[in-house]
Amino acid sequence: MGKRSLLLVRLLVFAVVLGLQFLALEALQLGAHPWGLFLMTVGTYVAGKLLQKYSASPMGKAMGWGVRWAGVAALGLWVSFMVWLAFFW
């Protein structure tokens, strides 16, 4: 597999997992339970790290990268939103 296709896989998995986390946030009403949201984002990071570490194929590693960094992005968005609510709401 070429580097461009692996980059595309990384970005697509990143976008899909970030979208799924948003849908889970809405469906499970995790905004009312911040620890559930925190555990979901950290769990996504850990799952991506494990997938990236233990996968034998480059495709699995690329998918692990996307899942891992989607967890980091979701956690960063959540923290920035909480800071915005605390200071500007």
Side-chain angles (χ1 to χ4, degrees), residues 14-33:
F14 176 81
V16 167
V17 171
L18 202 57
L20 287 174
Q21 286 182 356
F22 176 73
L23 289 175
L25 170 72
E26 291 296 319
L28 301 174
Q29 297 296 315
L30 292 177
H33 308 288

Side-chain angles (χ1 to χ4, degrees), residues 2-13:
K3 288 187 177 193
R4 284 188 162 205
S5 60
L6 289 177
L7 178 64
L8 182 64
V9 167
R10 286 179 179 176
L11 293 176
L12 285 174
V13 170

Side-chain angles (χ1 to χ4, degrees), residues 6-7 10 13 20 27 29 37 48 51 55 59 73 80 83-84:
L6 289 177
L7 178 64
R10 286 179 179 176
V13 170
L20 287 174
Q29 297 296 315
L37 180 60
L51 182 63
S55 180
M59 179 68 77
S80 62
V83 168
W84 180 78

Side-chain angles (χ1 to χ4, degrees), residues 57-72:
S57 69
M59 179 68 77
K61 290 184 185 294
M63 290 172 61
W65 184 93
V67 171
R68 176 183 175 194
W69 290 108
V72 172

